[in-house]
C-alpha cells in the first residue's frame, strides 16, 4: 500500500532544484504536484487542501538553511505535515486507573473487527495484561463462533451469551424493532464486564456487530452499547481498502459512537490507501493500530512518524 503515492512524491522532489532559494513558482509547482499525488491516492479533499496550504506557506517562508538544501527542506516540511495529518504522536490504549479497562470495537461488517479483537488481545496478553473478549456481535450467528476461534488462537477467554440465548429471535429493546438478532448485545456487554470484574481480568474487549453499509439500527445499537458500558476506548476499525467511502463511514461512526481511536486494517493490501490516511485528519481521532494480515501477529502500533517516512522513502 502507498507505493504509488510514495513514488509520485519522490518523483516530485527529484524535480526540485538543490541549490539557491526556491522561487514562488517552484513552490507552486511542487505543491500542485503534491496535491495531484494525494488526490490520486484517494486522500480526502479537505485534508489535501489543508495539507497543501500548510506546505506552501511553510515552503515559501522557509529560512535559508545551512544544513538543508531547498529540496531537502521541502521534504522535511512535507514529512512534518504528513505526520500531523496522521495524528502527530503515537497514542495507544489509555488504561483505567482502577477496574478493568473496557475497549469497544466498532466498524462495518468485514472491516476486520473480530480479527482485530484477537490481535489486540494477544498484544495485550504479551504485555502482561489479562484480557477477556466479549461476543456482542449477535447479528450474525457465526460471529460468536468466529470470536471463540479467534480467542482460542490468541489464548484469551471469550465471554459469549448462554447457549439458550443464541437461538435466533427477534430482538426486543435496544437492537431496534424487527432487527433479527441472537440475544441482546447490550445485556451481553454488561454481563461480560461483570464477568471480567469477577474473574479479575484487567481488560475487556467488546466486539460489536457491523453492517455492510452504515445502518441506523446498527448504529443505534452500537450507541446503546457505548452508553451502557462507558468504555475507556472505542476503536473504529476501518478497512484501508474501502477507498473514498472511508471518510463518510468514519464521520458516521464518529457521530454514532464517538470513537476515541482508529484501527486501519488490511494495510497489507495494494489499494491506494489515501482515504484511510485521511480519517485521522477528518475526525481528529488518532490512528492507534494497524492490521497487516490475517494472522494474529499481523498487527502493529501505528506510528505517524514512521508511516510518513515510509511514504516519503
Ligand atoms: P468483521 O466483520 O469486522 O469482524 O471482520 P473480520 O474480522 O471477520 O474480517 C473480515 C475478513 O477480512 C476476514 O476474512 C479476515 O481474515 C480478513 N482480514 C481482517 N484483517 C485483515 C488484514 O489486516 N489483512 C488482510 N489481508 N485480511 C484481513
Amino acid at each position: 500500500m502507498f507505493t504509488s503515492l510514495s513514488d509520485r512524491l519522490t518523483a516530485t522532489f527529484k524535480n526540485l532544484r538543490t541549490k539557491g532559494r526556491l522561487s514562488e513558482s517552484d513552490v507552486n509547482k511542487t505543491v500542485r504536484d503534491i496535491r495531484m499525488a494525494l488526490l490520486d491516492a484517494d486522500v480526502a479533499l479537505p485534508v489535501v487542501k489543508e495539507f497543501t496550504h500548510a506546505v506552501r506557506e511553510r515552503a515559501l517562508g522557509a529560512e535559508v538553511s545551512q544544513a538543508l538544501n531547498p529540496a531537502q527542506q521541502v521534504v522535511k516540511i512535507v514529512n512534518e505535515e504528513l505526520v500531523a495529518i496522521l495524528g502527530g504522536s503515537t497514542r495507544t490504549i489509555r488504561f483505567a486507573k482502577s477496574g478493568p479497562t473496557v475497549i469497544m470495537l466498532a466498524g462495518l461488517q468485514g472491516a476486520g473487527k473480530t480479527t482485530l479483537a484477537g490481535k489486540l488481545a494477544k498484544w495485550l496478553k504479551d504485555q502482561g495484561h489479562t484480557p477477556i473478549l466479549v461476543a456482542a456481535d449477535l447479528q450474525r450467528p457465526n460471529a460468536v463462533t468466529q470470536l471463540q476461534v479467534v480467542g482460542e488462537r490468541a489464548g484469551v477467554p471469550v465471554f459469549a451469551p448462554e447457549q439458550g440465548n443464541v437461538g435466533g429471535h427477534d430482538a426486543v429493546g435496544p437492537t431496534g424493532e424487527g432487527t433479527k438478532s441472537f440475544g441482546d448485545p447490550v445485556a451481553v456487554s454488561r454481563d461480560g464486564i461483570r464477568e471480567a470484574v469477577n474473574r479479575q481480568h484487567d481488560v475487556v474487549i467488546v466486539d460489536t456487530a457491523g453492517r455492510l453499509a452504515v445502518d441506523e439500527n446498527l448504529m443505534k445499537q452500537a450507541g446503546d452499547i457505548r452508553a451502557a458500558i462507558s468504555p475507556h476506548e472505542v476503536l473504529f476499525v476501518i478497512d484501508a481498502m474501502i477507498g473514498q467511502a472511508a471518510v463518510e463511514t468514519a464521520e458516521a461512526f464518529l457521530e454514532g459512537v464517538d470513537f476515541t481511536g482508529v484501527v486501519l486494517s488490511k494495510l497489507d493490501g495494494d489499494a491506494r490507501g489515501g482515504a484511510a490516511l485521511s480519517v485521522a485528519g477528518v475526525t481528529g481521532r488518532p490512528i492507534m493500530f494497524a492490521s497487516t494480515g490475517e494472522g494474529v501477529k499481523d498487527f502493529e502500533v501505528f506510528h505517524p512518524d514512521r508511516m510518513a517516512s515510509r511514504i516519503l522513502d
Side-chain angles (χ1 to χ4, degrees):
M1 196 162 278
F2 310 124
T3 329
S4 115
L5 174 60
S6 184
D7 291 350
R8 289 276 297 273
L9 291 176
T10 314
T12 303
F13 300 139
K14 272 215 183 96
N15 293 333
L16 275 172
R17 288 183 297 120
T18 50
K19 296 227 164 54
R21 226 189 149 93
L22 288 179
S23 69
E24 186 161 349
S25 84
D26 288 335
V27 170
N28 286 341
K29 175 164 186 332
T30 306
V31 167
R32 247 192 336 266
D33 290 349
I34 293 173
R35 180 184 161 88
M36 286 314 296
L38 293 173
L39 287 174
D40 285 347
D42 270 351
V43 177
L45 187 58
V47 175
V48 173
K49 278 190 175 156
E50 196 184 317
F51 183 83
T52 47
H53 178 75
V55 170
R56 184 172 184 277
E57 295 293 296
R58 288 186 59 191
L60 285 176
E63 293 294 309
V64 179
S65 156
Q66 301 294 333
L68 300 176
N69 67 42
Q72 289 168 329
Q73 266 187 27
V74 171
V75 175
K76 180 169 176 280
I77 293 168
V78 169
N79 180 60
E80 287 168 5
E81 292 300 326
L82 258 182
V83 173
I85 60 162
L86 292 173
S89 52
T90 305
R91 149 129 144 74
T92 66
I93 304 297
R94 283 188 185 137
F95 293 96
K97 292 207 173 62
S98 64
T101 301
V102 178
I103 304 169
M104 172 178 165
L105 307 182
L108 294 180
Q109 186 181 314
K113 286 184 299 300
T114 307
T115 312
L116 186 269
K119 294 173 176 186
L120 184 61
K122 170 89 173 66
W123 179 76
L124 289 163
K125 193 176 159 212
D126 288 347
Q127 293 173 60
H129 291 284
T130 55
I132 181 171
L133 294 163
V134 175
D137 177 356
L138 308 181
Q139 220 61 34
R140 290 181 301 136
N142 267 346
V144 174
T145 323
Q146 195 194 339
L147 192 69
Q148 277 160 338
V149 171
V150 155
E152 210 161 287
R153 272 196 206 130
V156 170
V158 175
F159 179 85
E162 297 288 320
Q163 280 299 313
N165 288 339
V166 193
H169 55 272
D170 286 328
V172 285
T175 48
E177 283 277 301
T179 306
K180 195 81 175 160
S181 173
F182 297 82
D184 175 358
V186 174
V188 170
S189 305
R190 272 207 204 99
D191 292 349
I193 292 169
R194 202 170 303 131
E195 176 88 353
V197 173
N198 290 343
R199 295 201 178 186
Q200 300 188 327
H201 290 282
D202 70 343
V203 184
V204 191
I205 301 170
V206 182
D207 189 21
T208 67
R211 272 279 165 88
L212 288 174
V214 173
D215 166 286
E216 253 178 51
N217 272 344
L218 254 291
M219 198 60 89
K220 181 176 182 315
Q221 181 188 98
D224 288 341
I225 295 176
R226 193 195 203 296
I229 64 177
S230 304
H232 300 89
E233 300 282 9
V234 180
L235 301 186
F236 168 59
V237 183
I238 184 153
D239 177 344
M241 314 260 278
I242 85 168
Q244 302 274 4
V247 168
E248 199 185 316
T249 310
E251 282 172 339
F253 274 89
L254 186 67
E255 197 187 329
V257 294
D258 191 18
F259 55 83
T260 58
V262 179
V263 180
L264 293 185
S265 73
K266 311 192 193 179
L267 270 193
D268 50 315
D270 57 5
R272 288 173 288 189
L277 292 185
S278 321
V279 166
V282 168
T283 64
R285 299 294 187 272
I287 302 171
M288 293 191 193
F289 302 103
S291 238
T292 52
E294 296 186 81
V296 78
K297 287 200 168 145
D298 301 325
F299 170 83
E300 52 198 58
V301 170
F302 186 87
H303 299 285
D305 54 347
R306 286 189 210 166
M307 179 54 83
S309 305
R310 217 173 100 189
I311 293 171
L312 296 179
D313 201 6

